[in-house]
Protein backbone atom coordinates (compact mmCIF):
# COMPACT_ATOMS: atom_id res chain seq x y z
CA UNK A 1 0.00 0.00 0.00
CA UNK A 2 1.52 3.29 -1.11
CA UNK A 3 1.03 6.08 1.38
CA UNK A 4 -0.95 9.07 0.13
CA UNK A 5 0.38 12.22 1.77
CA UNK A 6 -2.27 14.86 2.36
CA UNK A 7 -1.81 18.55 3.06
CA UNK A 8 -4.01 20.91 5.04
CA UNK A 9 -3.08 24.47 5.96
CA UNK A 10 0.63 23.68 5.90
CA UNK A 11 0.40 20.32 7.69
CA UNK A 12 1.51 17.20 5.84
CA UNK A 13 0.12 13.89 7.05
CA UNK A 14 -1.20 10.46 6.21
CA UNK A 15 -4.77 9.51 7.10
CA UNK A 16 -6.32 6.10 6.48
CA UNK A 17 -9.48 4.41 7.76
CA UNK A 18 -12.35 5.54 9.96
CA UNK A 19 -13.32 5.14 13.59
CA UNK A 20 -11.37 5.58 16.79
CA UNK A 21 -8.18 7.61 16.19
CA UNK A 22 -4.65 6.26 16.41
CA UNK A 23 -2.20 9.18 16.17
CA UNK A 24 1.34 8.04 15.32
CA UNK A 25 4.56 10.03 15.80
CA UNK A 26 7.84 9.12 14.05
CA UNK A 27 11.37 9.61 15.35
CA UNK A 28 14.26 11.96 14.63
CA UNK A 29 15.41 10.22 11.43
CA UNK A 30 12.02 8.63 10.93
CA UNK A 31 9.40 9.02 8.26
CA UNK A 32 5.72 8.34 7.70
CA UNK A 33 6.66 5.02 6.10
CA UNK A 34 8.06 3.75 9.42
CA UNK A 35 4.45 3.04 10.41
CA UNK A 36 3.52 1.34 7.11
CA UNK A 37 2.62 -2.03 8.69
CA UNK A 38 0.57 -0.42 11.45
CA UNK A 39 -1.44 1.48 8.84
CA UNK A 40 -1.94 -1.66 6.73
CA UNK A 41 -3.19 -3.68 9.70
CA UNK A 42 -5.23 -1.13 11.64
CA UNK A 43 -6.80 1.15 9.01
CA UNK A 44 -9.57 -1.43 8.58
CA UNK A 45 -10.83 -0.74 12.12
CA UNK A 46 -9.35 2.61 13.12
CA UNK A 47 -8.69 6.08 11.77
CA UNK A 48 -4.89 6.10 11.58
CA UNK A 49 -3.27 9.54 11.35
CA UNK A 50 0.45 10.30 11.06
CA UNK A 51 1.66 13.91 10.92
CA UNK A 52 5.00 14.61 9.27
CA UNK A 53 6.93 16.29 12.07
CA UNK A 54 8.76 19.37 10.71
CA UNK A 55 12.15 18.24 12.04
CA UNK A 56 14.08 19.60 9.06
CA UNK A 57 12.00 22.72 8.40
CA UNK A 58 11.04 24.25 11.76
CA UNK A 59 12.71 27.51 12.84
CA UNK A 60 15.99 26.91 14.68
CA UNK A 61 14.65 28.75 17.72
CA UNK A 62 11.83 26.18 17.99
CA UNK A 63 13.86 23.09 17.03
CA UNK A 64 13.41 21.03 20.17
CA UNK A 65 10.97 18.85 22.08
CA UNK A 66 8.74 21.78 23.21
CA UNK A 67 8.52 23.08 19.63
CA UNK A 68 7.50 19.65 18.33
CA UNK A 69 4.91 19.26 21.08
CA UNK A 70 3.49 22.65 20.10
CA UNK A 71 3.35 21.48 16.48
CA UNK A 72 1.39 18.35 17.46
CA UNK A 73 -1.02 20.49 19.52
CA UNK A 74 -1.61 22.72 16.49
CA UNK A 75 -2.07 19.68 14.26
CA UNK A 76 -4.63 18.12 16.63
CA UNK A 77 -6.55 21.41 16.66
CA UNK A 78 -6.40 21.67 12.84
CA UNK A 79 -7.72 18.13 12.48
CA UNK A 80 -10.48 18.88 15.02
CA UNK A 81 -9.74 15.73 17.04
CA UNK A 82 -12.16 16.38 19.87
CA UNK A 83 -12.50 12.85 21.24
CA UNK A 84 -9.61 11.37 23.25
CA UNK A 85 -7.32 9.31 21.01
CA UNK A 86 -4.58 6.70 21.28
CA UNK A 87 -1.14 8.28 20.90
CA UNK A 88 1.81 6.19 19.67
CA UNK A 89 5.43 7.29 19.45
CA UNK A 90 8.74 5.75 18.42
CA UNK A 91 12.09 7.11 19.64
CA UNK A 92 11.88 10.95 19.63
CA UNK A 93 8.20 10.57 18.70
CA UNK A 94 7.68 8.76 22.00
CA UNK A 95 9.32 11.65 23.85
CA UNK A 96 7.00 14.11 22.12
CA UNK A 97 4.03 11.84 22.90
CA UNK A 98 4.94 11.77 26.59
CA UNK A 99 5.21 15.56 26.88
CA UNK A 100 2.01 16.01 24.85
CA UNK A 101 0.22 13.64 27.25
CA UNK A 102 1.53 15.51 30.28
CA UNK A 103 0.30 18.83 28.82
CA UNK A 104 -3.00 17.49 27.40
CA UNK A 105 -4.14 14.57 29.58
CA UNK A 106 -7.76 15.04 28.55
CA UNK A 107 -6.86 14.43 24.87
CA UNK A 108 -5.07 11.09 25.33
CA UNK A 109 -7.04 7.90 25.94
CA UNK A 110 -4.07 5.53 25.74
CA UNK A 111 -0.32 5.87 25.23
CA UNK A 112 1.96 3.49 23.30
CA UNK A 113 5.74 3.90 23.45
CA UNK A 114 8.37 1.96 21.55
CA UNK A 115 12.08 2.74 21.83
CA UNK A 116 11.13 6.09 23.35
CA UNK A 117 13.57 8.75 24.44
CA UNK A 118 12.77 10.82 27.51
CA UNK A 119 15.00 9.06 30.04
CA UNK A 120 18.12 8.00 28.15
CA UNK A 121 19.08 7.48 24.53
CA UNK A 122 22.27 6.84 22.57
CA UNK A 123 20.97 8.56 19.47
CA UNK A 124 23.63 7.57 16.93
CA UNK A 125 25.86 5.20 18.83
CA UNK A 126 27.46 8.02 20.85
CA UNK A 127 28.50 9.88 17.71
CA UNK A 128 26.76 12.05 15.13
CA UNK A 129 26.54 11.34 11.37
CA UNK A 130 29.60 12.78 9.66
CA UNK A 131 28.93 15.05 6.73
CA UNK A 132 29.86 13.49 3.41
CA UNK A 133 30.84 10.08 4.84
CA UNK A 134 28.39 7.61 3.29
CA UNK A 135 29.97 4.55 4.92
CA UNK A 136 29.67 6.08 8.38
CA UNK A 137 26.00 6.96 7.82
CA UNK A 138 25.33 3.45 6.52
CA UNK A 139 26.90 1.97 9.65
CA UNK A 140 24.89 4.24 11.97
CA UNK A 141 21.57 3.51 10.23
CA UNK A 142 22.28 -0.23 10.47
CA UNK A 143 22.87 0.33 14.21
CA UNK A 144 19.12 1.03 14.51
CA UNK A 145 18.22 -2.55 13.51
CA UNK A 146 18.97 -6.01 14.85
CA UNK A 147 19.05 -7.17 11.24
CA UNK A 148 21.34 -4.69 9.43
CA UNK A 149 19.87 -5.68 6.06
CA UNK A 150 16.86 -3.54 7.01
CA UNK A 151 19.12 -0.51 6.55
CA UNK A 152 18.20 -0.39 2.87
CA UNK A 153 19.95 1.84 0.36
CA UNK A 154 16.85 4.06 0.16
CA UNK A 155 16.87 4.52 3.94
CA UNK A 156 20.61 5.21 4.07
CA UNK A 157 20.36 7.62 1.13
CA UNK A 158 17.59 9.52 2.92
CA UNK A 159 19.69 10.00 6.08
CA UNK A 160 22.83 10.75 4.04
CA UNK A 161 21.02 13.52 2.15
CA UNK A 162 19.83 15.02 5.43
CA UNK A 163 23.32 14.99 6.94
CA UNK A 164 24.70 16.80 3.88
CA UNK A 165 22.52 19.84 4.58
CA UNK A 166 24.12 22.15 7.15
CA UNK A 167 20.85 23.77 8.17
CA UNK A 168 19.11 20.40 8.59
CA UNK A 169 22.01 19.10 10.67
CA UNK A 170 21.81 22.18 12.90
CA UNK A 171 18.12 21.50 13.52
CA UNK A 172 18.81 17.83 14.27
CA UNK A 173 21.56 18.75 16.74
CA UNK A 174 19.26 21.25 18.48
CA UNK A 175 16.46 18.69 18.72
CA UNK A 176 18.79 15.92 19.95
CA UNK A 177 20.24 18.20 22.64
CA UNK A 178 16.76 19.31 23.63
CA UNK A 179 15.71 15.67 24.05
CA UNK A 180 18.72 15.01 26.29
CA UNK A 181 17.94 18.09 28.41
CA UNK A 182 14.25 17.23 28.81
CA UNK A 183 14.58 14.23 31.09
CA UNK A 184 11.09 13.22 32.21
CA UNK A 185 11.91 10.99 35.19
CA UNK A 186 10.29 13.38 37.70
CA UNK A 187 7.15 13.85 35.59
CA UNK A 188 6.19 10.35 34.48
CA UNK A 189 4.35 9.62 37.73
CA UNK A 190 1.67 12.08 36.58
CA UNK A 191 0.72 9.97 33.58
CA UNK A 192 -2.48 8.12 34.44
CA UNK A 193 -3.64 6.72 31.07
CA UNK A 194 -3.13 3.05 30.17
CA UNK A 195 0.33 2.81 28.63
CA UNK A 196 1.80 0.06 26.46
CA UNK A 197 5.58 -0.28 26.26
CA UNK A 198 6.85 -2.45 23.38
CA UNK A 199 10.63 -2.67 23.28
CA UNK A 200 13.27 -4.43 21.24
CA UNK A 201 15.18 -6.78 23.51
CA UNK A 202 18.28 -5.91 21.50
CA UNK A 203 17.75 -2.12 21.48
CA UNK A 204 21.15 -0.43 21.59
CA UNK A 205 19.81 3.14 21.49
CA UNK A 206 17.26 3.00 24.32
CA UNK A 207 18.38 -0.27 25.98
CA UNK A 208 16.00 -2.62 27.85
CA UNK A 209 16.92 -1.02 31.18
CA UNK A 210 15.28 2.18 29.86
CA UNK A 211 12.06 0.27 29.18
CA UNK A 212 12.10 -1.16 32.71
CA UNK A 213 12.52 2.37 34.09
CA UNK A 214 9.56 3.66 32.06
CA UNK A 215 7.53 0.72 33.35
CA UNK A 216 8.53 1.53 36.95
CA UNK A 217 7.73 5.23 36.65
CA UNK A 218 4.42 5.00 34.70
CA UNK A 219 1.99 3.37 37.09
CA UNK A 220 -0.65 2.14 34.65
CA UNK A 221 1.79 0.54 32.18
CA UNK A 222 2.57 -2.86 30.75
CA UNK A 223 5.90 -3.85 29.21
CA UNK A 224 6.61 -6.38 26.46
CA UNK A 225 9.96 -7.19 24.85
CA UNK A 226 10.43 -8.49 21.30
CA UNK A 227 13.52 -10.63 20.72
CA UNK A 228 15.78 -10.21 17.67
CA UNK A 229 14.64 -6.60 17.55
CA UNK A 230 16.38 -3.27 18.05
CA UNK A 231 15.05 0.32 18.09
CA UNK A 232 12.06 0.22 15.72
CA UNK A 233 9.87 -2.79 16.60
CA UNK A 234 6.99 -1.67 14.37
CA UNK A 235 9.37 -1.95 11.39
CA UNK A 236 11.54 -4.90 12.43
CA UNK A 237 8.92 -7.15 14.05
CA UNK A 238 5.67 -5.75 12.60
CA UNK A 239 3.47 -8.81 13.17
CA UNK A 240 4.50 -9.19 16.81
CA UNK A 241 4.23 -5.43 17.40
CA UNK A 242 0.77 -5.25 15.85
CA UNK A 243 -0.42 -8.27 17.84
CA UNK A 244 0.64 -6.60 21.11
CA UNK A 245 -0.97 -3.33 20.05
CA UNK A 246 -4.26 -4.97 19.08
CA UNK A 247 -4.39 -6.93 22.34
CA UNK A 248 -3.76 -3.72 24.30
CA UNK A 249 -6.45 -1.79 22.43
CA UNK A 250 -9.00 -4.56 23.04
CA UNK A 251 -8.17 -5.09 26.73
CA UNK A 252 -8.25 -1.38 27.58
CA UNK A 253 -11.51 -0.96 25.68
CA UNK A 254 -13.08 -3.77 27.71
CA UNK A 255 -11.77 -2.23 30.91
CA UNK A 256 -13.21 1.19 30.05
CA UNK A 257 -16.60 -0.42 29.41
CA UNK A 258 -16.47 -2.20 32.78
CA UNK A 259 -15.49 1.05 34.51
CA UNK A 260 -18.37 2.94 32.88
CA UNK A 261 -20.84 0.32 34.07
CA UNK A 262 -19.55 0.08 37.63
Amino acid sequence: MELQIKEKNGFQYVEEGTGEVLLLLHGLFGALSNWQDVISDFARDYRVIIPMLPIYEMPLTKAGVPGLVGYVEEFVAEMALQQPFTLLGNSLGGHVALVYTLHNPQQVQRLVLTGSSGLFEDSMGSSFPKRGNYGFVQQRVAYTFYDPSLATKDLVDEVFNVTNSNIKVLRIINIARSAQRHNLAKDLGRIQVPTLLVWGLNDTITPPIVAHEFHRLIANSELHFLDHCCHAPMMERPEAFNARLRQFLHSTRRQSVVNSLS
Side-chain angles (χ1 to χ4, degrees):
M1 181 174 80
E2 186 175 346
L3 299 182
Q4 299 297 319
I5 298 177
K6 301 179 180 180
E7 189 161 349
K8 184 178 182 182
N9 292 336
F11 294 99
Q12 289 189 317
Y13 61 99
V14 165
E15 181 179 13
E16 298 286 348
T18 58
E20 186 181 333
V21 171
L22 306 182
L23 185 66
L24 284 47
L25 303 179
H26 62 77
L28 184 59
F29 287 98
L32 303 178
S33 60
N34 292 174
W35 296 104
Q36 175 82 57
D37 289 289
V38 174
I39 298 169
S40 298
D41 197 359
F42 286 87
R44 292 169 293 184
D45 306 303
Y46 295 87
R47 181 184 174 194
V48 184
I49 304 174
I50 319 173
M52 173 61 84
L53 300 179
I55 289 168
Y56 310 130
E57 294 83 27
M58 63 196 311
L60 276 173
T61 55
K62 293 186 176 181
V65 172
L68 290 169
V69 172
Y71 181 88
V72 173
E73 290 172 339
E74 292 171 6
F75 177 75
V76 168
E78 181 63 41
M79 298 295 289
L81 302 181
Q82 297 174 349
Q83 296 297 317
F85 49 78
T86 300
L87 184 58
L88 299 83
N90 170 241
S91 195
L92 174 70
H95 200 153
V96 174
L98 283 162
V99 179
Y100 179 90
T101 302
L102 288 164
H103 290 181
N104 306 275
Q106 75 289 347
Q107 282 287 150
V108 180
Q109 183 180 11
R110 308 178 189 88
L111 185 60
V112 180
L113 305 174
T114 180
S116 177
S117 61
L119 292 177
F120 167 82
E121 69 278 351
D122 181 7
S123 58
M124 288 301 287
S126 72
S127 54
F128 199 79
K130 296 176 181 176
R131 189 167 184 260
N133 188 331
Y134 189 88
F136 180 85
V137 171
Q138 188 175 36
Q139 179 187 7
R140 293 301 90 194
V141 174
Y143 185 78
T144 305
F145 300 104
Y146 178 81
D147 177 3
S149 69
L150 290 174
T152 62
K153 186 178 184 303
D154 285 346
L155 195 56
V156 174
D157 286 350
E158 185 177 343
V159 176
F160 181 72
N161 290 336
V162 168
T163 62
N164 272 335
S165 165
N166 283 335
I167 190 64
K168 288 182 180 180
V169 167
L170 278 175
R171 290 187 178 100
I172 290 167
I173 291 172
N174 279 9
I175 291 169
R177 288 175 176 169
S178 171
Q180 291 172 351
R181 286 195 307 270
H182 285 80
N183 187 288
L184 299 175
K186 294 180 180 179
D187 301 309
L188 295 179
R190 295 195 283 115
I191 292 180
Q192 302 296 316
V193 296
T195 301
L196 173 66
L197 306 165
V198 182
W199 236 258
L201 191 59
N202 313 97
D203 193 336
T204 51
I205 296 172
T206 49
I209 191 171
V210 177
H212 284 294
E213 189 67 358
F214 272 119
H215 185 38
R216 183 181 74 83
L217 293 170
I218 301 175
N220 192 10
S221 64
E222 58 180 84
L223 170 61
H224 301 278
F225 286 105
L226 302 181
D227 200 2
H228 300 104
C229 183
C230 191
H231 192 55
M234 73 286 185
M235 296 175 68
E236 195 156 23
R237 295 285 309 279
E239 290 184 6
F241 179 87
N242 287 353
R244 286 295 182 191
L245 175 56
R246 191 170 292 280
Q247 182 182 42
F248 173 70
L249 294 171
H250 286 174
S251 64
T252 50
R253 184 180 298 114
R254 285 197 304 270
Q255 187 58 49
S256 65
V257 171
V258 170
N259 291 343
S260 68
L261 295 176
S262 60

